[in-house]
Amino acid sequence: DGAMGPGTGPSRTGAQVAALLAGALAVGARLWLGAALASPAVADVPAGEGPWAAEVVAVGSPGDGVQRVTMRFTAPAGLLVAATVPRYPVLGPGDRVRVEGRLRAPPADGYGAYLARVGVTATLFAASLAVDPPPPGAAAVLETLRGGSDAALAAALPEPEAGLASGILLGLRSRVDRALAADFTAAGVSHVVAISGWNIAIVAAMVAALLRRAGRRRRNLATLAAIVAYTVFVGASPSVVRAAFMAGVVLLARESGRRAGATAALGWAAALMLLLDPGVAGDAGFQLSSAATGGLIAWGTPLTRRLSGLRLPAWLAETLGVSLAAQAATLPIILLDFGRVSLVSPLANLVVVPLVPAVMAGGALALVAGWLASLGVLPAAALAVAAFPGWLLLAVLVGLVRLAAAAPFASLTLEPPLAAGLAALAAVGLALLTSPGRRLARAWLGPSPLPRWRRRPRSPARPLVNPNHGPAQPAPDRATRWGRRLLPVALVAAMAVVLVAASRPDGRLHLVVLDVGQGDAILLEGGRGTRLLVDGGPDPEHLLAALDARLPAWDRRLDMVVLTHPHEDHAGGLAALLERYRVGRVFEPGMAGAGPAYRAWQATLASQGRTAAHLAAGDSLELDGLRLDVLWPRPGSVPARAPDEGRAVNDVSIVLLGAVGSQRFLLTGDAEDDIDPELLAAGLPHLALLKVAHHGSATSSSNALLEATRPELAVVSVGTGNRYGHPAPATLDRLAATAAAVLRTDRDGTVEAVLDGERMAVRAGGARRTALGGAAFQDRPRSAPADPFGRGFPVVPLLYHRVDEHPGARRGRRPPPLPRPAGLASAPLARRRRGRRLARRALRGAPPAARPPPRGGGRAPARRRQAAAGDGPA
């Protein structure tokens, strides 16, 4: 921006602008020709239900008991299909599978348009899935290594932190919790989760820092080797290869100090990619990688220099400068391609981005510790100590992202005309920030009247004096330096001691009905720390996240596990549980299930050399002074195979009657109302707590059973917006007439009852936003069903669940909206009221003239007066 030297005048500026316009026109012409000449989508999808042979291309985040994958068929050859397959067996890229199911054309909506852009020509709901053995080779070895690393992180860290670490370090984005990934997107920090040039730059920067005393050439070679090794290790997908290539260009250019050479290198790299594959011009990943790399070259160093002038540490200034440069450069593309803008993104990145290097370092330490523990070298206690810093950093990162995503208007979705207009405006603004843009603007508009800020160079002879703080202090001595280094260690150790002390048992029974969706999972923790899990819910991800949130990472122990009956919504998470937790004895009724989750549970037991014992009426279990009596099924009445998948399986459910002091509780599994007379014949007492059978269906918990037991609390374990109409209105009416209180996991979240033998205290996980009705609430609907296209239709055809009787609950239709609980405002209204309260508090100290006039002549609104008088809800 100084005086123009030779070759920097308007003629060169015009040549640069002309070259830029020519390149933009060439890319635009290629995109237009590609769209015009592209072969039309396959209109006639192959008929029949298979079996189809295919290879897995990509795997999405699993959830709701299914996996969402993209696979390429071998016959018909090249057909790309978006498939929803059972949760087991677990799939990975490159797996060869055989699936059965009917192929359908993509839907005619936004998701169908997206599938067309990525080349998918059909969708599939897989009725069955079989995996062929992988061919030997380097790819199989690499996938085995990545799978082992993921298991090592899972052994060291709880969920969702373990999945996030696998996404950041290993490129396994499918391991990141879907709701957490959505929060990263809403907060505008999704680049942290994806393996991008940012992650690769951090790895390379760590290597360069370790070799800072080596020569420049040796350091450059080591940096390139680290980039190549990391790219191969995380899967070497096309997007990762592009990111690695771009990151290598930027890092080497910055290392050599030649920004002009870096710009030329970026141009040649993009040109070579376009020559090798012209269709990549329309790929959003290529566009984002190129733009982010250009932003790093153009603005990374200037932003870092200016941030350093704000007395920020050098590492923080560089991290923020690089992040802000990449975000600014990619903003027009994000607006144009995705139509989304995050208003909290600048602030969120300001807080989150500096944590990422530390998170990667802590995650790498947990990864090494997990591998050593899996090899038997590191004991469990040492593993917990080594993984604690990584868990703490990841937990802080997760908390900050969720806080940013929960802010009002954190993410806005724009309509195409508005998004295109804002993208063009952002592109023009960014162009004016470049050197050619500024020179062209000065040539057309003249010099800017605004003063320009320049960083005054410091004279080498000038002493380091701060006019605000006096002369610089002498360098700290060795004791001070060691004290500063040990302070974080002491803080982490103190936090670990506090957490260990807080996790000690309190001498009471904790009965926790976990919110795992449309299924059951109940955790019992005895007064001295013994643990029993009854059922495993429909989804391994939900089960592990719920358990990891309650149980300490250094004590992953379950003394007993009971599977009440072999339906998928009760057995879905047990196979993953056996791999992650130290499980003692396991029990089941003795009937084999037909679902893939039950088969995976049996296969995992067999691989560990174990078998499940059978429970029947007359048996009992002991849990820290608590006695659990088995009331059902009768001995010898359970067939080895079920005659059908409905009531015949539900009615073999293990029913447990617990007694702690004078209090009793009943866990009924899915036993339907025809079993109630058998239970009543056993002499059921008055109950402190009843787990309502079969998710509150119309055929659960008969009136006779409720009249005999009169429970103080009835808990319904049910999924949000389920297609079966659970809980049925008739069952809710019976519960309201006989139970003192009714809680349900779809509205109240996880329910915890604490019993000491005489009194019961109840805590709910908090009301949460429901999929139906829009009522207020807690963090997120983790169990809301969705089809593979994310449009809210059911994904798991649980054929053994009958649809209940009310008119809205019919196959293919959603149940009617749930009534809003009394006293709870809608989320937008609650936010408006909270905003008005904050505004009034802020104006309390202002002069009277600055305060807004009170509404209604100084009188409170009628609804508020009524609430203050105690006549109605606030």
Side-chain angles (χ1 to χ4, degrees):
D1 295 332
M4 292 185 182
T8 60
S11 60
R12 184 180 177 186
T13 301
Q16 291 174 337
V17 173
L20 180 63
L21 291 177
L25 289 175
V27 172
R30 174 62 185 85
L31 293 175
W32 180 80
L33 287 175
L37 300 178
S39 58
V42 177
D44 298 327
V45 176
E49 297 189 0
W52 313 99
E55 180 181 356
V56 176
V57 176
V59 180
S61 298
D64 305 314
V66 296
Q67 300 176 87
R68 296 166 179 85
V69 302
T70 303
M71 55 181 62
R72 181 174 284 107
F73 280 22
T74 56
L79 182 67
L80 204 61
V81 176
T84 299
V85 300
R87 181 62 179 80
Y88 295 100
V90 179
L91 297 180
D95 286 343
R96 298 181 179 182
V97 299
R98 286 172 286 112
V99 294
E100 294 184 2
R102 185 175 298 277
L103 293 170
R104 291 180 173 84
D109 56 11
Y111 182 75
Y114 163 75
L115 292 180
R117 287 198 302 271
V118 298
V120 172
T121 54
T123 62
L124 171 70
F125 275 95
S128 65
L129 170 68
V131 181
D132 295 331
V141 173
L142 180 61
E143 285 300 323
T144 302
L145 181 61
R146 294 179 71 199
S149 300
D150 177 52
L153 284 172
L157 300 170
E159 294 292 348
E161 289 80 11
L164 180 60
S166 292
I168 294 175
L169 293 174
L170 309 177
L172 299 176
R173 296 192 65 181
S174 61
R175 285 279 289 112
V176 182
D177 181 77
R178 294 173 62 198
L180 181 59
D183 288 342
F184 269 84
T185 301
V189 291
S190 57
H191 59 89
V192 173
V193 182
I195 295 296
S196 60
W198 168 244
N199 306 74
I200 295 170
I202 291 176
V203 173
M206 290 180 178
V207 174
L210 291 174
L211 300 176
R212 60 184 180 274
R213 295 186 179 180
R216 173 175 294 181
R217 178 173 298 179
R218 186 175 300 175
R219 186 167 59 245
N220 290 345
L221 291 176
T223 300
L224 284 178
I227 291 175
V228 172
Y230 186 65
T231 302
V232 173
F233 180 68
V234 299
S237 64
S239 60
V240 175
V241 172
R242 286 196 299 267
F245 192 83
M246 300 292 184
V249 169
V250 173
L251 289 169
L252 292 181
R254 295 185 68 185
E255 182 69 23
S256 64
R258 300 178 57 190
R259 196 171 71 175
T263 306
L266 174 63
W268 281 111
L272 287 174
M273 290 184 182
L274 290 172
L275 286 175
L276 294 174
D277 183 12
V280 79
D283 183 76
F286 171 77
Q287 298 168 8
L288 291 172
S289 296
S290 302
T293 307
L296 293 177
I297 294 173
W299 304 311
T301 301
L303 281 174
T304 299
R305 187 182 302 118
R306 294 200 176 193
L307 289 171
S308 299
L310 301 177
R311 299 179 60 85
L312 293 177
W315 65 269
L316 179 58
E318 183 171 6
T319 301
L320 292 177
V322 168
S323 176
L324 293 175
Q327 285 186 77
T330 56
L331 179 61
I333 299 174
I334 292 174
L335 287 170
L336 186 62
D337 286 352
F338 304 103
R340 179 181 296 170
V341 60
S342 177
L343 301 183
V344 301
S345 177
L347 181 60
N349 277 274
L350 187 67
V351 178
V352 168
V353 165
L355 280 176
V356 177
V359 164
M360 293 184 70
L365 179 61
L367 174 62
V368 174
W371 267 113
L372 293 177
S374 65
L375 297 175
V377 177
L378 198 67
L383 171 64
V385 172
F388 184 79
W391 168 78
L392 184 62
L393 291 166
L394 285 162
V396 171
L397 178 63
V398 170
L400 290 174
V401 169
R402 285 178 172 168
L403 182 64
F409 308 108
S411 180
L412 297 181
T413 301
L414 308 176
E415 295 298 326
L418 180 59
L422 290 178
L425 185 63
V428 172
L430 292 175
L432 293 177
L433 293 178
T434 62
S435 297
R438 289 197 299 268
R439 287 196 293 268
L440 188 62
R442 284 198 298 269
W444 285 354
L445 304 177
S448 172
L450 299 177
R452 289 183 298 172
W453 179 84
R454 290 181 181 272
R455 185 170 182 262
R456 181 178 300 173
R458 186 188 299 126
S459 172
R462 184 180 177 185
L464 294 176
V465 176
N466 189 319
N468 298 322
H469 299 86
Q473 299 297 322
D477 56 12
R478 179 176 298 181
T480 303
R481 289 197 301 269
W482 274 105
R484 291 177 180 176
R485 294 173 182 174
L486 293 177
L487 180 61
V489 178
L491 291 176
V492 171
M495 293 184 65
V497 171
V498 171
L499 290 174
V500 171
S503 65
R504 291 176 59 83
D506 59 4
R508 298 179 295 173
L509 171 70
H510 293 252
L511 191 156
V512 188
V513 182
L514 299 171
D515 176 19
V516 291
Q518 184 65 15
D520 277 11
I522 303 168
L523 176 67
L524 283 78
E525 296 183 86
R528 294 191 295 272
T530 305
R531 300 172 187 148
L532 165 67
L533 180 69
V534 181
D535 290 325
D539 189 351
E541 283 69 35
H542 287 173
L543 175 69
L544 296 179
L547 287 176
D548 285 353
R550 288 198 57 86
L551 304 182
W554 58 87
D555 187 16
R556 289 188 185 162
R557 166 186 49 84
L558 290 170
D559 300 282
M560 289 177 278
V561 171
V562 177
L563 173 62
T564 59
H565 64 291
H567 270 158
E568 298 290 280
D569 58 336
H570 294 249
L574 294 182
L577 182 79
L578 291 174
E579 296 174 352
R580 187 178 181 88
Y581 276 76
R582 300 189 307 276
V583 177
R585 303 180 66 189
V586 292
F587 303 95
E588 60 177 81
M591 175 184 287
Y598 180 83
R599 293 196 299 269
W601 146 265
Q602 291 295 317
T604 307
L605 282 174
S607 68
Q608 296 178 356
R610 309 169 61 186
T611 57
H614 298 168
L615 288 178
D619 295 333
S620 63
L621 303 173
E622 293 288 338
L623 186 73
D624 288 351
L626 163 70
R627 180 183 175 89
L628 289 167
D629 292 321
V630 181
L631 303 185
W632 188 260
R634 288 194 301 264
S637 65
V638 178
R641 297 283 177 181
D644 60 63
E645 283 297 308
R647 185 182 284 254
V649 181
N650 286 338
D651 284 352
V652 303
S653 292
I654 296 173
V655 179
L656 299 172
L657 177 65
V660 50
S662 62
Q663 295 176 302
R664 302 292 185 268
F665 60 89
L666 188 66
L667 308 180
T668 55
D670 276 1
E672 302 196 39
D673 52 7
D674 57 334
I675 304 301
D676 290 355
E678 304 284 349
L679 301 178
L680 291 171
L684 290 179
H686 169 69
L687 297 176
L689 182 145
L690 168 69
K691 201 289 296 183
V692 179
H694 198 207
H695 323 296
S697 71
T699 57
S700 69
S701 301
S702 64
N703 193 62
L705 184 142
L706 295 175
E707 288 287 352
T709 58
R710 291 281 173 175
E712 299 173 22
L713 172 66
V715 182
V716 185
S717 183
V718 63
T720 304
N722 67 88
R723 66 181 299 191
Y724 310 104
H726 296 167
T731 303
L732 292 177
D733 292 341
R734 293 196 298 271
L735 293 172
T738 54
V742 180
L743 294 176
R744 34 194 290 192
T745 57
D746 61 337
R747 291 184 176 178
D748 303 301
T750 293
V751 177
E752 178 181 5
V754 184
L755 297 86
D756 62 4
E758 296 180 0
R759 293 178 300 274
M760 178 174 64
V762 180
R763 293 191 292 265
R768 57 197 179 88
R769 188 181 304 276
T770 58
L772 302 175
F777 302 118
Q778 189 199 355
D779 44 289
R780 53 196 169 96
R782 293 181 305 180
S783 55
D787 69 337
F789 317 126
R791 295 171 303 185
F793 300 123
V795 294
V796 187
L798 305 179
L799 302 179
Y800 47 87
H801 283 336
R802 292 180 301 280
V803 177
D804 278 332
E805 73 278 2
H806 60 83
R810 294 290 184 264
R811 184 175 298 278
R813 297 176 56 187
R814 297 187 184 186
L818 303 174
R820 181 179 300 163
L824 290 172
S826 66
L829 180 58
R831 284 197 293 266
R832 291 198 297 271
R833 289 178 177 172
R834 183 166 60 252
R836 288 198 295 268
R837 287 198 301 270
L838 294 175
R840 286 196 296 272
R841 291 173 184 171
L843 289 171
R844 282 174 185 168
R851 300 184 182 182
R855 299 189 330 182
R859 301 183 61 195
R863 184 184 302 176
R864 196 179 307 163
R865 294 199 306 272
Q866 182 185 21
D871 296 332

